[in-house]
Amino acid sequence: MSSKAHIIPVDPKNPGLSAASNLNPAVLWATLPPTQKPAKVGTSHLFYGTGGNDVTALVSLGEGFETKQGDARREIIRKAVGSGVKSVKGLGDGVSEAILDASTDPHAAAVAAHLALYKFTLKTSPPSVFDPRAKGPAPEKLKISPGAHTFDWERGVVYAKAQNLARTLMELPANIMTPTAFTERVKEELKGLANVEVIVRDEAWAAEKGMRTFLSVTKGTSEPAKFLEIHYKGGPNPDAQPIAFVGKGITFDSGGISLKPSAGMKLMRGDMGGAAAVVSSMLAIAQLKLPVNVVAFTPLCENLPGPSANKPGDVIYAMNGKSVEIDNTDAEGRLVLADALYYASTEFKPHTVIDVATLTGAMDIALGEIFTGVFTTSDELWQQLHAAGESEYDRFWRLPLDEDFGPQIYSSNADLCNSGGKPGGACTAALFLKAFVNGIESKEGEQAAVRWAHLDIAGTMEFTRPTPYQETGMTGRPVRALVEFVRRLSQ
């Protein structure tokens, strides 16, 4: 018989009462011997037979919780809730429902609970909820609900489920998540949402637009490239300037002629992590009905070493007319982004452009899995992104966008070279992209018409070690930070 679980975060100094049930955590906590009461955040204690067949998980919020404020307090709650959910999830099929005391912070609790529930697998026994052959959504193995539903809880659920969608898009292998399949999945996810239009462009359209750097990358594969647009007009004035998101959508990256080493190459199924983050953020923004206009663009293709593939030394003329020498065919992300950034910034006149990309190995070396690197032309935009990232603990770190790196990519036979070598590799990649964003140059005495930020998620695309509320695997970052950024901007 399936039982119910109660998950209750507890301040060791003041166990108090639970808002989610009639249980008294203080009584249960008092039964633990002193050696079983560590103050470490996330330590879980399971009590069986509480209220008949039920199980109760008391989870420590850690010593000094009462003194924590703001972002630090929210992250402690996420860690505790995530650990509690994982401990209940570990009980298996015997528990099908969990009641979570989310009263300390409903939004943070909802985020942690639904991120902790996620575990990607394509094993067939038991049947996987991610099986692409399945008809309709599979039932949740463990259903989590708060003691009391609030708007903050529901918003947190939207944030977490959007991030989980990005995780799924990144995890699905490249033979299943092709550019075409990506667009079909996105159309299905966004179907029926108000003020949303999804447009799928083909290679003929891209050629007509002059997107030659984008199309050069797809020459080595037989898989058709796609250019996906999502338009959300939720603002009071649907014609007001939008925010523009651009996401790198390489659904598999072999490196092309500049072939990557075979070890670990399967990770490159996630090289469309920028596109996954962008479309998943759009889903959450639309579901929350934020009063803002946002447009998103994802150039989608594979990078393979076919007979027609780009060759080192080739020169391509981009959509904005600049000549680009391809020194390294494995620096393909900036080629697809170049045309997408120019298209977004010229045709839709956004006030803010943010691109997201698994762009450089140099970023992984610099910041690892902890921070997403940010390069931006706007101090104000950096401050807003930083605040949103800290609030969701989906953190950013600013790096230099400086013309002194220029000689590394300006010294070839073309206007730009797509690789500046190893030194400052993430910085030269950002500087390359800057050349394709229209409107970021400020005129004398005036502010620039467009604020631009480039987010390099090459390090934060994957967790190689589990966190209290996420397993190892693709992360789906920085979805929550992007949604929080837009939510705050819309206010």
Side-chain angles (χ1 to χ4, degrees), residues 1-7 48 53-56 85 87-100 114 117 138-146:
M1 184 174 69
S2 180
S3 60
K4 183 188 295 183
H6 302 271
I7 303 170
Y48 298 89
N53 201 36
D54 291 355
V55 179
T56 297
V85 169
S87 67
V88 168
K89 187 171 70 168
L91 297 174
D93 294 338
V95 178
S96 60
E97 182 184 357
I99 309 298
L100 170 63
H114 288 86
L117 278 179
E140 294 178 331
K141 288 187 176 180
L142 178 62
K143 183 180 179 183
I144 294 189
S145 58

Side-chain angles (χ1 to χ4, degrees), residues 204-285:
W205 174 88
E208 190 178 312
K209 284 290 182 183
M211 293 184 171
R212 287 172 288 272
T213 53
F214 166 43
L215 291 175
S216 77
V217 176
T218 197
K219 291 189 301 181
T221 177
S222 59
E223 195 66 51
K226 301 290 181 184
F227 192 95
L228 177 68
E229 294 184 24
I230 305 171
H231 300 248
Y232 170 70
K233 295 186 176 181
N237 176 6
D239 297 321
Q241 280 185 290
I243 301 165
F245 288 154
V246 179
K248 172 186 168 185
I250 304 296
T251 57
F252 189 78
D253 181 20
S254 71
I257 297 294
S258 308
L259 194 67
K260 292 177 181 290
S262 59
M265 195 194 288
K266 67 179 182 180
L267 185 65
M268 289 299 99
R269 70 191 183 277
D271 206 26
M272 31 59 72
V278 162
V279 300
S280 300
S281 299
M282 293 294 284
L283 173 65
I285 289 164

Side-chain angles (χ1 to χ4, degrees), residues 355-472:
D355 74 77
V356 188
T358 52
L359 206 63
T360 64
M363 183 55 65
D364 189 19
I365 299 300
L367 298 180
E369 303 175 5
I370 310 304
F371 290 91
T372 291
V374 177
F375 301 83
T376 180
T377 56
S378 167
D379 293 341
E380 179 190 45
L381 179 55
W382 158 245
Q383 289 159 5
Q384 292 169 347
L385 284 168
H386 179 257
E390 291 296 312
S391 177
E392 287 296 320
Y393 207 73
D394 191 355
R395 295 180 294 169
F396 298 117
W397 195 267
R398 191 176 188 180
L399 289 108
L401 182 68
D402 197 290
E403 285 294 331
D404 281 351
F405 290 103
Q408 291 175 239
I409 57 171
Y410 299 155
S411 301
S412 74
N413 287 328
D415 296 325
L416 294 159
C417 186
N418 82 326
S419 174
K422 284 188 176 181
C427 301
T428 54
L431 198 60
F432 180 95
L433 295 178
K434 181 185 174 187
F436 299 92
V437 187
N438 194 58
I440 57 176
E441 300 298 338
S442 56
K443 296 174 183 176
E444 194 172 340
E446 297 180 11
Q447 278 192 322
V450 176
R451 310 184 308 169
W452 168 62
H454 159 57
L455 313 185
D456 192 333
I457 61 169
T460 52
M461 69 180 281
E462 182 196 25
F463 279 140
T464 59
R465 55 188 184 273
T467 75
Y469 51 93
Q470 281 200 231
E471 302 286 358
T472 57

Side-chain angles (χ1 to χ4, degrees), residues 74-400:
R74 276 189 290 275
E75 179 59 6
I76 287 172
I77 292 165
R78 281 188 287 263
K79 286 180 175 178
V81 169
S83 297
V85 169
K86 284 186 178 182
S87 67
V88 168
K89 187 171 70 168
L91 297 174
D93 294 338
V95 178
S96 60
E97 182 184 357
I99 309 298
L100 170 63
D101 184 346
S103 57
T104 48
D105 188 317
H107 175 97
V111 163
H114 288 86
L115 292 180
L117 278 179
Y118 183 94
K119 177 67 175 176
F120 183 87
T121 179
L122 289 177
K123 293 183 184 295
T124 56
S125 182
S128 168
V129 298
F130 304 102
D131 189 333
R133 304 168 302 174
K135 302 296 182 186
E140 294 178 331
K141 288 187 176 180
L142 178 62
K143 183 180 179 183
I144 294 189
S145 58
H149 280 269
T150 65
F151 175 77
D152 285 350
W153 168 271
E154 300 298 344
R155 185 181 64 207
V157 172
V158 169
Y159 276 50
K161 288 190 172 182
Q163 183 174 343
N164 286 343
L165 171 61
R167 294 163 85 180
T168 300
L169 294 172
M170 294 174 73
E171 289 284 9
L172 284 167
N175 65 315
I176 293 174
M177 191 47 62
T178 63
T180 300
F182 186 99
T183 60
E184 292 301 316
R185 176 66 181 264
V186 171
K187 285 194 291 186
E188 187 63 28
E189 293 287 344
L190 291 165
K191 186 170 65 178
L193 288 173
N195 303 312
V196 173
E197 183 183 12
V198 180
I199 304 168
V200 180
R201 312 287 194 181
D202 60 13
E203 291 182 15
W205 174 88
E208 190 178 312
K209 284 290 182 183
M211 293 184 171
R212 287 172 288 272
T213 53
F214 166 43
L215 291 175
S216 77
V217 176
T218 197
K219 291 189 301 181
T221 177
S222 59
E223 195 66 51
K226 301 290 181 184
F227 192 95
L228 177 68
E229 294 184 24
I230 305 171
H231 300 248
Y232 170 70
K233 295 186 176 181
N237 176 6
D239 297 321
Q241 280 185 290
I243 301 165
F245 288 154
V246 179
K248 172 186 168 185
I250 304 296
T251 57
F252 189 78
D253 181 20
S254 71
I257 297 294
S258 308
L259 194 67
K260 292 177 181 290
S262 59
M265 195 194 288
K266 67 179 182 180
L267 185 65
M268 289 299 99
R269 70 191 183 277
D271 206 26
M272 31 59 72
V278 162
V279 300
S280 300
S281 299
M282 293 294 284
L283 173 65
I285 289 164
Q287 288 175 331
L288 293 169
K289 300 179 180 178
L290 297 183
V292 65
N293 298 337
V294 191
V295 288
F297 310 93
T298 63
L300 298 152
C301 67
E302 294 179 337
N303 183 28
L304 296 180
S308 300
N310 280 337
K311 302 171 293 296
D314 285 357
V315 174
I316 313 292
Y317 288 87
M319 185 181 176
N320 70 347
K322 290 184 182 291
S323 57
V324 177
E325 181 182 6
I326 298 172
D327 177 65
N328 184 340
T329 66
D330 193 23
E332 86 299 329
R334 65 203 73 181
L335 299 178
V336 304
L337 287 172
D339 286 336
L341 283 167
Y342 185 71
Y343 173 70
S345 59
T346 55
E347 300 223 3
F348 296 89
K349 301 293 185 282
H351 57 76
T352 302
V353 177
I354 298 174
D355 74 77
V356 188
T358 52
L359 206 63
T360 64
M363 183 55 65
D364 189 19
I365 299 300
L367 298 180
E369 303 175 5
I370 310 304
F371 290 91
T372 291
V374 177
F375 301 83
T376 180
T377 56
S378 167
D379 293 341
E380 179 190 45
L381 179 55
W382 158 245
Q383 289 159 5
Q384 292 169 347
L385 284 168
H386 179 257
E390 291 296 312
S391 177
E392 287 296 320
Y393 207 73
D394 191 355
R395 295 180 294 169
F396 298 117
W397 195 267
R398 191 176 188 180
L399 289 108

